[in-house]
Amino acid sequence: MSRREAGPAGLRPVDLARAAGVSTQQIRNYSDAGILPPAPRSPAGYRRFDERHRQALLTYRALIRGYGPATAQGIMRAVHADDVPRALALVDAGHASLHEQRFALAATGEALEAVADEDPDAPAPTRSRLRVGEVAAQLGVRTSALRVWEAAGLLTPSRDPGTRYRWYLPADVRDARVIHMLRQSQYPLPQIRPVLDDLRRSGGVEALRAAVARRGEALDQRTRAMLEGAARLHDYLAEGPPSGQSGSRGPYSAHSAPEDSAQ
């Protein structure tokens, strides 16, 4: 399709694709999904995109980095369905979730330090050997979770020679607690191995501290990405309703975009 076919001020799918670093098919998918505002079609059936669509695309791509694809899509679809309150609620939920993750990370860091300082060889107040169900009950997880961690090589409980039942010694229970805490902070299993290796090798907490610090840095990066995405969304809303829409309610209709009024 030529620029003439796209309209005097039009943009082709390839123009939008280059602006965002995606494929032209992805642009069509975004349009069909409501991520972009409604696009009128030429007599030949081609979509007519303009600067408003480009801004919507860049806003969506910025939102993805902070809020993730599902939430970003929900935000843009709500905006283009004239439901700005829902879009803003999704933004609020994203920030609330991030706050909860920060709170959980701080608690995890404190708990991991306490667990790491425990002496696994110290006399236990209860039986020195626990079965898988008893350990699962202590942690509040399913027994299947303990088996998954064992299959990943993170836990190595001993086996009863006769019955082949798993037996967890104090050190095994400590390791299971560490794994459970890190999993609650969204750590993938491969990244937990060096933490446990450090604990088993020296009883130190350096790997634990490094893991928590890396998670904190990742949350900081996500916060910055959220701020960038929210700023773009604010500007997009302030510009007015998308091409082809009018009469929107609420703050979304407070201003009209120059490119809309020119058409």
Side-chain angles (χ1 to χ4, degrees):
M1 180 176 63
S2 67
R3 287 188 181 275
R4 180 177 58 81
E5 290 173 317
L11 295 172
R12 302 168 299 172
V14 68
D15 297 323
L16 296 183
R18 288 169 179 167
V22 298
S23 68
T24 55
Q25 182 58 52
Q26 197 66 36
I27 296 300
R28 297 184 183 96
N29 293 342
Y30 289 164
S31 183
D32 292 339
I35 293 169
L36 303 183
R41 290 185 178 266
S42 71
Y46 294 113
R47 290 180 174 92
R48 293 182 180 273
F49 296 116
D50 57 23
E51 178 61 19
R52 186 64 174 158
H53 294 92
R54 190 179 77 88
Q55 292 301 324
L57 174 62
L58 296 179
T59 299
Y60 172 66
R61 299 295 295 181
L63 288 170
I64 286 178
R65 291 189 286 273
Y67 299 88
T71 298
Q73 179 171 331
I75 291 171
M76 298 304 292
R77 292 184 67 178
V79 168
H80 297 144
D82 193 22
D83 192 356
V84 174
R86 171 165 173 73
L88 298 179
L90 289 171
V91 171
D92 290 343
H95 287 274
S97 175
L98 185 63
H99 174 73
E100 292 176 358
Q101 291 180 49
R102 286 189 181 279
F103 184 82
L105 182 64
T108 296
E110 295 175 1
L112 286 174
E113 292 278 355
V115 171
D117 288 341
E118 293 178 356
D119 182 1
D121 297 323
T126 57
R127 302 196 333 267
S128 60
R129 296 193 307 171
L130 298 178
R131 290 185 176 177
V132 62
E134 295 171 313
V135 177
Q138 281 192 14
L139 300 181
V141 301
R142 297 177 182 273
T143 56
S144 58
L146 292 170
R147 294 189 176 96
V148 168
W149 301 342
E150 181 181 347
L154 301 178
L155 291 177
T156 55
S158 58
R159 295 270 188 168
D160 183 277
T163 64
R164 302 301 297 167
Y165 288 141
R166 293 174 176 82
W167 288 111
Y168 287 78
L169 301 176
D172 300 318
V173 176
R174 180 204 63 184
D175 290 350
R177 289 175 61 190
V178 170
I179 296 169
H180 179 48
M181 291 173 189
L182 288 174
R183 290 296 291 158
Q184 287 182 313
S185 290
Q186 309 302 317
Y187 269 87
L189 295 178
Q191 292 186 16
I192 296 177
R193 183 182 297 277
V195 176
L196 295 176
D197 288 344
D198 185 71
L199 277 176
R200 293 163 180 162
R201 181 174 59 253
S202 62
V205 296
E206 292 308 313
L208 295 175
R209 290 170 177 156
V212 171
R214 285 194 300 271
R215 179 62 176 166
E217 292 171 358
L219 293 179
D220 289 344
Q221 292 175 0
R222 187 178 173 197
T223 297
R224 291 178 179 274
M226 280 185 166
L227 290 174
E228 180 184 354
R232 278 198 174 270
L233 179 64
H234 172 270
D235 293 344
Y236 184 70
L237 292 175
E239 289 176 1
S243 304
Q245 283 189 237
S246 61
S248 299
R249 67 179 183 273
Y252 192 49
S253 59
H255 307 282
S256 60
E259 55 268 40
D260 293 338
S261 60
Q263 294 181 1

